[in-house]
Amino acid sequence: MINQVIDHMMTQNRSHFLIPGDMIASVNEDNSLRHAFLVLTKVRYAKIPVLDNDDHFKGLLSLPMITDKMLGLDEITAKPLDEFCVRDVMETGVTTIDDPYNIEEVLHALVDSAFLPVVQDDGTFTGIVTRREVMKGINYIGHNIDKQYAITAKEPAATHH
Protein backbone atom coordinates (compact mmCIF):
# COMPACT_ATOMS: atom_id res chain seq x y z
CA MET A 1 0.00 0.00 0.00
CA ILE A 2 1.25 3.50 -0.82
CA ASN A 3 2.51 5.71 2.01
CA GLN A 4 -0.37 7.82 3.39
CA VAL A 5 1.57 11.09 3.19
CA ILE A 6 2.51 10.49 -0.44
CA ASP A 7 -1.04 9.41 -1.27
CA HIS A 8 -2.39 12.57 0.41
CA MET A 9 -0.02 14.88 -1.48
CA MET A 10 -0.71 13.11 -4.80
CA THR A 11 -4.47 13.26 -4.18
CA GLN A 12 -4.21 16.99 -3.47
CA ASN A 13 -2.74 17.43 -6.96
CA ARG A 14 -4.98 14.85 -8.67
CA SER A 15 -6.87 17.49 -10.67
CA HIS A 16 -3.59 18.55 -12.31
CA PHE A 17 -3.00 15.02 -13.67
CA LEU A 18 -6.18 14.81 -15.75
CA ILE A 19 -6.08 16.27 -19.25
CA PRO A 20 -9.75 16.80 -20.19
CA GLY A 21 -11.20 14.88 -23.12
CA ASP A 22 -12.02 18.04 -25.06
CA MET A 23 -8.29 18.87 -25.09
CA ILE A 24 -7.33 15.45 -26.48
CA ALA A 25 -7.15 14.52 -30.17
CA SER A 26 -9.40 11.53 -30.77
CA VAL A 27 -11.13 9.73 -33.62
CA ASN A 28 -14.52 8.06 -33.96
CA GLU A 29 -14.65 4.29 -34.40
CA ASP A 30 -16.60 4.84 -37.64
CA ASN A 31 -14.03 7.21 -39.20
CA SER A 32 -12.20 6.01 -42.29
CA LEU A 33 -8.57 5.04 -41.89
CA ARG A 34 -7.77 7.92 -44.27
CA HIS A 35 -9.21 10.43 -41.79
CA ALA A 36 -7.48 8.73 -38.83
CA PHE A 37 -4.18 8.63 -40.73
CA LEU A 38 -4.37 12.39 -41.31
CA VAL A 39 -5.29 13.10 -37.66
CA LEU A 40 -2.46 10.96 -36.28
CA THR A 41 0.03 12.47 -38.72
CA LYS A 42 -0.97 16.03 -37.77
CA VAL A 43 -1.08 15.62 -33.97
CA ARG A 44 2.11 13.54 -33.81
CA TYR A 45 0.98 11.45 -30.83
CA ALA A 46 1.92 7.79 -30.69
CA LYS A 47 -1.65 6.74 -29.83
CA ILE A 48 -4.99 8.49 -29.58
CA PRO A 49 -8.33 7.45 -28.05
CA VAL A 50 -11.13 6.03 -30.16
CA LEU A 51 -14.67 7.04 -29.19
CA ASP A 52 -18.17 6.16 -30.36
CA ASN A 53 -20.91 8.64 -31.26
CA ASP A 54 -21.87 9.00 -27.58
CA ASP A 55 -18.30 9.75 -26.42
CA HIS A 56 -17.81 6.28 -24.93
CA PHE A 57 -14.21 5.07 -24.93
CA LYS A 58 -13.72 2.17 -27.36
CA GLY A 59 -9.97 1.73 -27.75
CA LEU A 60 -6.71 3.25 -28.95
CA LEU A 61 -5.29 3.86 -32.39
CA SER A 62 -1.71 4.30 -33.61
CA LEU A 63 -0.11 4.92 -37.00
CA PRO A 64 1.43 1.42 -37.14
CA MET A 65 -2.08 -0.07 -36.81
CA ILE A 66 -3.07 1.86 -39.93
CA THR A 67 0.11 1.41 -41.96
CA ASP A 68 -0.01 -2.34 -41.33
CA LYS A 69 -3.14 -2.42 -43.52
CA MET A 70 -1.30 -0.46 -46.24
CA LEU A 71 1.61 -2.88 -46.55
CA GLY A 72 1.35 -5.66 -49.10
CA LEU A 73 4.01 -8.20 -49.95
CA ASP A 74 5.36 -6.16 -52.86
CA GLU A 75 3.92 -2.69 -52.44
CA ILE A 76 2.51 0.01 -50.24
CA THR A 77 -1.01 0.99 -51.16
CA ALA A 78 -3.38 3.67 -49.88
CA LYS A 79 -6.45 1.70 -51.00
CA PRO A 80 -7.16 0.27 -47.49
CA LEU A 81 -7.41 3.83 -46.14
CA ASP A 82 -10.82 4.08 -47.81
CA GLU A 83 -11.82 0.42 -47.42
CA PHE A 84 -11.44 0.12 -43.65
CA CYS A 85 -12.55 2.15 -40.66
CA VAL A 86 -10.93 2.78 -37.31
CA ARG A 87 -12.99 0.00 -35.66
CA ASP A 88 -11.29 -2.56 -37.95
CA VAL A 89 -7.75 -1.88 -36.69
CA MET A 90 -7.97 -0.24 -33.24
CA GLU A 91 -6.58 -1.75 -30.07
CA THR A 92 -9.34 -2.90 -27.70
CA GLY A 93 -9.23 -4.27 -24.16
CA VAL A 94 -7.25 -1.21 -23.09
CA THR A 95 -6.74 -0.58 -19.36
CA THR A 96 -8.84 2.38 -18.26
CA ILE A 97 -9.24 4.09 -14.91
CA ASP A 98 -12.36 5.39 -13.20
CA ASP A 99 -13.21 9.01 -12.61
CA PRO A 100 -12.37 9.79 -9.83
CA TYR A 101 -9.37 7.50 -9.84
CA ASN A 102 -7.19 5.79 -7.27
CA ILE A 103 -3.61 7.15 -7.19
CA GLU A 104 -1.99 3.80 -6.39
CA GLU A 105 -3.85 2.12 -9.28
CA VAL A 106 -2.65 4.88 -11.61
CA LEU A 107 0.99 4.54 -10.52
CA HIS A 108 0.94 0.78 -11.20
CA ALA A 109 -0.75 1.12 -14.59
CA LEU A 110 1.52 3.93 -15.81
CA VAL A 111 4.56 1.65 -15.53
CA ASP A 112 3.50 0.07 -18.84
CA SER A 113 1.59 2.95 -20.46
CA ALA A 114 2.43 6.53 -21.40
CA PHE A 115 -1.14 7.51 -20.54
CA LEU A 116 -4.35 6.04 -19.19
CA PRO A 117 -7.83 6.78 -20.51
CA VAL A 118 -10.18 7.98 -17.76
CA VAL A 119 -13.82 6.92 -18.05
CA GLN A 120 -17.00 7.41 -16.04
CA ASP A 121 -19.11 4.49 -14.80
CA ASP A 122 -21.10 4.43 -18.05
CA GLY A 123 -17.92 4.31 -20.19
CA THR A 124 -18.00 7.99 -21.17
CA PHE A 125 -14.49 9.27 -21.93
CA THR A 126 -13.41 11.97 -19.47
CA GLY A 127 -9.78 12.48 -20.49
CA ILE A 128 -6.36 10.99 -19.90
CA VAL A 129 -3.84 10.83 -17.09
CA THR A 130 -0.31 10.92 -18.50
CA ARG A 131 2.89 9.54 -17.06
CA ARG A 132 4.39 13.01 -17.66
CA GLU A 133 1.83 14.79 -15.45
CA VAL A 134 2.14 12.18 -12.69
CA MET A 135 5.95 12.51 -12.79
CA LYS A 136 5.52 16.27 -12.35
CA GLY A 137 3.44 15.48 -9.25
CA ILE A 138 6.14 13.20 -7.87
CA ASN A 139 8.70 15.93 -8.55
CA TYR A 140 6.48 18.36 -6.61
CA ILE A 141 6.41 15.97 -3.64
CA GLY A 142 10.18 15.55 -3.75
CA HIS A 143 10.62 19.30 -3.50
CA ASN A 144 7.82 20.10 -1.04
CA ILE A 145 7.22 17.19 1.34
CA ASP A 146 9.44 18.73 4.02
CA LYS A 147 7.46 21.99 3.83
CA GLN A 148 4.29 20.16 4.89
CA TYR A 149 5.67 17.32 7.05
CA ALA A 150 8.46 16.87 9.60
CA ILE A 151 10.69 14.09 8.32
CA THR A 152 12.99 12.18 10.62
CA ALA A 153 15.16 9.22 9.79
CA LYS A 154 14.45 5.94 11.55
CA GLU A 155 17.23 4.20 13.43
CA PRO A 156 18.79 1.54 11.23
CA ALA A 157 17.81 -1.99 12.21
CA ALA A 158 20.42 -3.80 14.25
CA THR A 159 22.35 -6.36 12.26
CA HIS A 160 22.81 -9.86 13.65
CA HIS A 161 26.10 -11.63 13.24
Side-chain angles (χ1 to χ4, degrees), residues 17-144:
F17 302 152
L18 179 72
I19 300 172
D22 57 6
M23 304 286 291
I24 306 294
S26 64
V27 290
N28 186 287
E29 64 182 345
D30 295 325
N31 288 149
S32 70
L33 289 189
R34 179 174 300 280
H35 172 78
F37 183 84
L38 293 171
V39 170
L40 276 162
T41 302
K42 289 288 185 192
V43 299
R44 298 179 186 217
Y45 292 134
K47 287 185 179 179
I48 59 174
V50 177
L51 309 178
D52 68 10
N53 292 328
D54 297 317
D55 288 334
H56 292 111
F57 177 79
K58 293 298 180 179
L60 295 174
L61 184 70
S62 67
L63 270 177
M65 293 172 196
I66 297 172
T67 55
D68 186 59
K69 285 282 187 200
M70 298 169 64
L71 300 176
L73 291 174
D74 300 327
E75 64 178 357
I76 297 172
T77 175
K79 204 186 248 187
L81 294 179
D82 297 315
E83 294 173 349
F84 294 96
C85 65
V86 169
R87 176 189 298 105
D88 298 323
V89 300
M90 69 184 186
E91 174 186 356
T92 58
V94 175
T95 298
T96 62
I97 53 176
D98 298 329
D99 184 14
Y101 51 85
N102 174 290
I103 294 292
E104 187 168 5
E105 179 185 338
V106 167
L107 291 174
H108 285 294
L110 282 176
V111 169
D112 296 319
S113 300
F115 69 91
L116 299 169
V118 182
V119 296
Q120 296 172 7
D121 287 342
D122 66 355
T124 301
F125 180 67
T126 304
I128 62 172
V129 171
T130 64
R131 187 185 295 151
R132 179 178 191 267
E133 293 303 314
V134 170
M135 289 303 298
K136 286 160 88 176
I138 291 168
N139 186 46
Y140 170 82
I141 290 171
H143 286 89
N144 293 286

Side-chain angles (χ1 to χ4, degrees), residues 156-161:
T159 55
H160 296 83
H161 295 295

